[in-house]
Amino acid sequence: SSGINAEYGGAGGYEQLLSRNKVVSSYILSDLQYNGWVDRATRVLFLDFTVYNVNINQFAVVKLVAEFLPTGGLLTSYDVLVQKLLRYVTTTDKVVFGFEIVLVLFVLYYIVEEGMEVVLFRMRYFLDVWNVLDTIIIVQILIGFGISLYRTTTIEGLIKDSETERDTFIS
């Protein structure tokens, strides 16, 4: 991870998970303060959390950074990444899903058609620039489908993990 002043990677450092319960988190923070968790040797504090706005179906991944300078100063920074991670929630999303199904069917048809041309023309098929372009387009669409499928399954898995492990930060 990085701040304004330096890169903070590699070994070293500690982490403390906070609870979703405000009282429990306040107790954890008080305990850390009482036991001198932040002292003169502390270089940086990171606070990472994720919030979800149900009304607009968007997640905000927030990183707050406090860097302690050798001179005694403090540099603060933040990074907020807002993403729509849950697809196909609204009516518009479902219409988009319908168009994506049509695209999948079209691509499947297109793959069969191009495959028949490859069988018919063999290596001469690739001598035509337009056939090469068709192949590149098919490969790009298949890669896009793969990335979309991976994203959807990963997010669904993370959401299930967050439902079963309610007091654990899922990254």
Side-chain angles (χ1 to χ4, degrees), residues 103-112 114 134-150:
L103 179 62
V104 167
L105 295 173
F106 175 74
V107 168
L108 290 174
Y109 168 78
Y110 200 47
I111 288 171
V112 170
E114 294 301 309
D134 288 342
T135 305
I136 291 171
I137 290 171
I138 289 173
V139 168
Q140 287 178 335
I141 290 174
L142 292 175
I143 289 171
F145 286 155
I147 290 171
S148 181
L149 183 63
Y150 172 76

Side-chain angles (χ1 to χ4, degrees), residues 33-92:
Q33 184 178 15
Y34 177 77
N35 290 314
W37 191 61
V38 175
D39 59 14
R40 300 201 77 189
T42 303
R43 292 181 56 204
V44 66
L45 288 177
F46 294 101
L47 179 60
D48 296 323
F49 59 94
T50 304
V51 292
Y52 175 60
N53 185 332
V54 177
N55 296 326
I56 59 173
N57 184 29
Q58 297 218 331
F59 287 84
V61 180
V62 181
K63 178 185 291 269
L64 304 176
V65 181
E67 295 178 89
F68 299 93
L69 302 175
T71 59
L74 180 70
L75 281 177
T76 58
S77 60
Y78 65 91
D79 186 29
V80 180
L81 176 63
V82 178
Q83 289 283 325
K84 177 180 179 179
L85 298 177
L86 299 176
R87 300 178 62 172
Y88 317 126
V89 175
T90 66
T91 304
T92 305

Side-chain angles (χ1 to χ4, degrees), residues 117-128 131-132:
E117 286 185 29
V118 168
V119 169
L120 183 64
F121 295 113
R122 293 195 167 68
M123 290 309 289
R124 287 182 297 149
Y125 172 84
F126 294 104
L127 296 176
D128 185 358
N131 289 338
V132 173

